[in-house]
Amino acid sequence: MIELNFISNYSPTILKKGKVTWASPSNIALVKYWGKKENQIPENPSISFTLEACKTETELVFEPRNGTHDSFSFEVFFEGEKNEAFKPKIETFFKRIKDYVPFLKQYHFIINTSNTFPHSSGIASSASGMSALALCLMSVEKLLNPKITTTYCNKKASFLARLGSGSACRSIEGDIVVWGQHSEIEGSSDLFGVKYTEEVHSVFKNYHDTILLVDKGEKQVSSTVGHNLMHNHPFAQNRFKQAVENITTMKTILKSGDLKAFIALMESEALTLHAMMMASTPYFILMKPNTLEIINKIWEFRAETGLNIGFTLDAGANVHVLFPENEAVKINEFINKELVAYCQNGHYICDQIGFGAKQL
Ligand code: PMV
């Protein structure tokens, strides 16, 4: 599918005032996307678990405007309060998608949005937020053009979400999503995320992800800056090649349910992501002392008990602790007793693998 497929073609009906609402989740990458080309095209494919509890709920109210307009017209409310700080990011998103969403300038939009997780938790809300907004826009497109299918809506929502924030394209569906062209994943594309339809071992159903909130502050280096530092990075080409190979390996692991291999690959991916940051020019470190304390505690506990607890990291200091359902009692006990002490104000979020966005 090429980008032209996402250019809408429907009669210019004007809708009356109305609203649509979506809840869209966050996701956690197992093989990471780090480095992009122009137009949010990833340098390498990535694969993620969709989450269930960490979600953004967005209500989009649309009202037709009279006449023709050169600019967008919208207001943003976050958790019930007018929010000017989110507007530039949404304005940029609208500019990027305007050719694919021609009705954007014909309506005034009120965007009412909220997260199920605390805004200042250090959890990136861009994946859930951008995917929720993209899905709302696709619901409006569906009202204008009822013939479009759910498959098309999901694909285009993912395509649009990607233009808002790369990893957001992996938040539309669940429970496992691949984004980026890979020769062994049928239908995979650089333009949107696709649901992973290969065989998956039952151990990965209900897989847990407890997110330990080590640092709830604003990141010192944004993902955008981080991605850009992969241009002219001395290890970039090898890293992109490695990610492709790691997707192939992950495919075998997801089928076999070999948790030791799963943990080894997931943790290596997390540390490689942060190693890329540390080897950038300029270099930077997003992990905090407590990130390393937690990692060492996990390694010690795993060596002592043989339980299948492993971690991954986003572009930040928080630690995602992943483990299977049948070991959850013992691992939760360990998290409570040993790891919560390293979280800011003792805060953490219990999440698990989820099945994608829902219209409300
Ligand atoms: O979607 P962005 O541009 O915020 O980048 C996210 C990159 C990582 O979270 C570090 C990795 C990933 O694949 O989600």
Side-chain angles (χ1 to χ4, degrees), residues 27-29 31-34 36 40 46 124 126 165-168 170 179 219 223-224 227 273 277 313-315:
N27 69 75
I28 182 68
V31 174
K32 309 286 183 183
Y33 145 64
W34 197 243
K36 62 179 165 184
Q40 310 271 96
S46 55
S126 56
S165 165
S167 59
R170 297 189 311 240
W179 168 41
K219 279 187 284 190
S223 300
T224 311
H227 285 294
L273 167 72
M277 297 172 189
L313 307 166
D314 258 340

Side-chain angles (χ1 to χ4, degrees), residues 298-319:
I298 289 174
W299 285 345
E300 266 172 41
F301 178 73
R302 191 163 75 216
E304 275 165 24
T305 62
L307 290 172
N308 291 299
I309 178 172
F311 73 86
T312 187
L313 307 166
D314 258 340
N318 297 332
V319 184

Side-chain angles (χ1 to χ4, degrees), residues 23-26 51-57 114-117 128-129 351 356-358:
S24 191
S26 190
L51 297 181
E52 179 59 30
C54 289
K55 282 188 179 149
T56 297
E57 255 183 51
S114 60
N115 295 332
T116 56
F117 48 91
S128 53
D351 210 334
K358 287 190 186 76

Side-chain angles (χ1 to χ4, degrees), residues 173-348:
E173 291 182 276
D175 45 353
I176 303 174
V177 175
V178 173
W179 168 41
Q181 209 276 322
H182 190 283
S183 61
E184 291 174 46
I185 309 280
E186 220 191 297
S188 58
S189 167
D190 286 347
L191 301 178
F192 45 79
V194 293
K195 190 174 154 64
Y196 183 77
T197 53
E198 307 289 327
E199 195 179 332
V200 177
H201 192 278
S202 59
V203 75
F204 294 110
K205 304 284 165 204
N206 310 322
Y207 219 75
H208 287 250
D209 178 4
T210 296
I211 309 161
L212 304 178
L213 306 176
V214 170
D215 185 48
K216 301 201 240 165
E218 186 88 353
K219 279 187 284 190
Q220 287 123 329
V221 181
S222 71
S223 300
T224 311
V225 171
H227 285 294
N228 282 335
L229 292 175
M230 288 301 277
H231 297 303
N232 306 318
H233 189 293
F235 308 130
Q237 292 314 316
N238 280 338
R239 161 59 198 156
F240 302 147
K241 194 166 151 275
Q242 178 195 47
V244 173
E245 290 159 8
N246 283 351
I247 297 259
T248 302
T249 310
M250 189 54 89
K251 200 176 145 182
T252 313
I253 294 171
L254 289 174
K255 185 173 173 185
S256 70
D258 180 347
L259 291 186
K260 304 279 178 260
F262 176 72
I263 290 167
L265 186 57
M266 172 176 73
E267 292 188 348
S268 163
E269 272 288 321
L271 295 179
T272 301
L273 167 72
H274 284 259
M276 289 299 120
M277 297 172 189
M278 289 190 242
S280 297
T281 309
Y283 46 78
F284 61 105
I285 302 179
L286 295 182
M287 290 185 286
K288 296 283 180 195
N290 281 353
T291 312
L292 297 179
E293 293 284 0
I294 290 169
I295 292 174
N296 280 310
K297 285 275 175 194
I298 289 174
W299 285 345
E300 266 172 41
F301 178 73
R302 191 163 75 216
E304 275 165 24
T305 62
L307 290 172
N308 291 299
I309 178 172
F311 73 86
T312 187
L313 307 166
D314 258 340
N318 297 332
V319 184
H320 289 248
V321 185
L322 277 81
F323 51 94
E325 165 77 11
N326 62 355
E327 298 178 15
V329 174
K330 282 190 185 146
I331 292 177
N332 278 328
E333 208 177 277
F334 161 68
I335 291 174
N336 275 315
K337 248 175 67 190
E338 300 282 344
L339 302 186
V340 171
Y342 300 105
C343 299
Q344 206 175 334
N345 305 323
H347 287 169
Y348 64 99

